[in-house]
Amino acid sequence: MMTRWFKNYFRIIWQRMASFFVVIPAQAGIQRRLNKRHWIPAFAGMTATGVCLSLVLVAGTVCADSAALTAARSIPILHDGRVKSLDVFAREMMRSLTTKDTFQKRGALDVFLRHALNAGDVVNLPLIRVDHLELKKILGLSAGKEYFSYNDVKDVYSVVLNLARSADAKRKADQRPMVIEQKAEDLMSRIHTVDKLAAGDVWTVIPGEKGQAWRSPFGGQDKLSREFLQLLGFYAEGKTAEVIAAVESWNAAVHPSLSPREVRAIRLENFYYPLKPFVWALMFYLAAFVLLLFPQNAWLRGAGLVSTAGGFVFHMAGLLIRCFILGRPPVSNMYESMIFMTWVLMLCAVVYFAINRKDFILRAGLLA
């Protein structure tokens, strides 16, 4: 019964979208169906489908994680001058080290929580990516490996430091550093990151009082420090119920120190990152471009336009969510600026298409 309902639902939406977008021959020439009876249900159905797909994607990601890990996502932490969720912090740290969100098919947050209490584990994990062959040769690292542990590279730190200093000196002299020197700078940054992880300095989860800086629980003797270290111990031991209870108690103690906007931003981040709206937008755009290469086929063209609309919805949703999370327009760095500019170009292409019904401008926008 449910399967039949879904089939009928998508059939109706498809027909509405096709009748809205597809140019239909008529006796008196070419006629476009653009009345409200067709496009309002079509657009509403497309939006509802996009929302349902988003919820399914996020729910699937969350369900794949353990209950303890899901609970730990909501813990706030101050990192890079902004309060964010512990999950986002872990993803960004892992990406800075390995250029990926995962490590050995494990989520970043799971890796860091499991090894946080044991500095020896952290320095032995192959978290540091070194992909430049010449740099590996100079440092005496294996050419066949791409990831190394802190202990693998600590003995050659002086060589890395000299290369990084050379790059800095060249920049001050308005000269361009060599590629190997730039790679050495990246490596030095990753070594420092692992060093801070091992020491626990980056775990700034305890809010400061009266404008003071947030601090790490490692080395602290106060109640909050002991509670967070106990939470980490529960997680390392696999005690799910204890972790969930500890997280609830922790958030109850810490959230009053946050502003309502910061609490909302943490919740939005935990929705935004599993969803990956820009990845889905790219997939929809690529599919749309391929389908729109066959404008003679009404159904393929209609599918291409529907795919374009789906990609545009994900693209715009991603931008809006980032605006709410950051509390500002998403144009502060190259990544955000590129995403915003491509959305503006796509918006212009969609508006032009809505007015003139020319597919070529839509294909040009999809390529942008």
Side-chain angles (χ1 to χ4, degrees), residues 18 26-27 52 61 63 76 81 87 131 150 173 175 192 212 225 292 295 298 304 354:
Q27 292 181 353
C52 292
T61 303
C63 290
D87 181 51
D131 59 348
Y150 177 87
Q175 298 176 6
H192 288 169
Q212 294 181 351
S225 296
L292 289 176

Side-chain angles (χ1 to χ4, degrees), residues 20-302:
F20 171 56
F21 285 116
V22 178
V23 177
I24 301 175
Q27 292 181 353
I30 300 297
Q31 180 182 3
R32 297 182 180 89
R33 298 183 182 180
L34 295 176
N35 53 70
K36 293 182 180 179
R37 184 169 60 88
H38 290 86
W39 68 262
I40 289 180
F43 188 79
M46 179 194 67
T47 304
T49 302
V51 171
C52 292
L53 177 61
S54 302
L55 294 175
V56 168
L57 292 172
V58 174
T61 303
V62 172
C63 290
D65 295 328
S66 67
L69 186 60
T70 301
R73 293 177 185 276
S74 62
I75 296 175
I77 184 172
L78 183 68
H79 180 241
D80 287 343
R82 181 174 71 85
V83 177
K84 58 187 68 171
S85 73
L86 200 61
D87 181 51
V88 174
F89 157 78
R91 288 172 184 267
E92 292 178 352
M93 292 291 288
M94 185 64 75
R95 200 179 299 125
S96 70
L97 292 169
T98 67
T99 69
K100 298 179 181 178
D101 287 347
T102 58
F103 173 74
Q104 296 178 348
K105 298 182 180 180
R106 294 164 56 196
L109 183 57
D110 177 53
V111 173
F112 291 143
L113 287 176
R114 198 167 297 278
H115 299 286
L117 289 177
N118 193 335
D121 287 350
V122 176
V123 296
N124 285 317
L125 290 174
L127 292 170
I128 301 174
R129 186 179 187 223
V130 185
D131 59 348
H132 194 267
L133 290 176
E134 187 178 351
L135 179 60
K136 285 192 281 189
K137 183 178 179 180
I138 291 176
L139 299 178
L141 301 175
S142 172
K145 291 177 60 178
E146 190 174 358
Y147 296 95
F148 302 86
S149 70
Y150 177 87
N151 286 335
D152 291 333
V153 298
K154 67 177 183 179
D155 293 334
V156 293
Y157 179 76
S158 59
V159 180
V160 177
L161 181 60
N162 289 334
L163 288 170
R165 286 175 175 172
S166 175
D168 185 58
K170 287 183 178 180
R171 287 195 182 91
K172 290 180 179 179
D174 291 331
Q175 298 176 6
R176 183 180 179 84
M178 298 172 60
V179 174
I180 190 173
E181 294 170 337
Q182 297 176 32
K183 293 293 184 178
E185 288 180 311
D186 295 338
L187 177 55
M188 186 175 69
S189 174
R190 289 166 183 165
I191 293 173
H192 288 169
T193 299
V194 176
D195 189 34
K196 291 178 181 178
L197 276 170
D201 296 339
V202 295
W203 293 88
T204 48
V205 294
I206 302 178
E209 297 180 359
K210 298 180 180 179
Q212 294 181 351
W214 288 43
R215 57 188 176 86
S216 168
F218 289 87
Q221 300 298 324
D222 58 290
K223 180 182 177 182
L224 283 177
S225 296
R226 293 194 302 270
E227 286 183 356
F228 191 81
L229 295 178
Q230 186 181 48
L231 188 158
L232 293 177
F234 287 150
Y235 190 90
E237 295 170 5
K239 298 180 178 179
T240 301
E242 288 81 353
V243 171
I244 294 174
V247 169
E248 291 177 352
S249 175
W250 179 265
N251 286 339
V254 171
H255 277 195
S257 302
L258 308 179
S259 67
R261 193 196 70 80
E262 289 172 332
V263 175
R264 287 195 300 269
I266 290 173
R267 292 171 181 167
L268 277 174
E269 282 182 321
N270 288 332
F271 174 81
Y272 168 82
Y273 274 89
L275 176 61
K276 298 181 179 179
F278 299 124
V279 174
W280 283 101
L282 177 61
M283 293 173 63
F284 274 111
Y285 285 157
L286 290 175
F289 179 78
V290 173
L291 292 168
L292 289 176
L293 293 176
F294 307 95
Q296 298 83 3
N297 188 303
W299 287 105
L300 290 180
R301 181 174 180 270

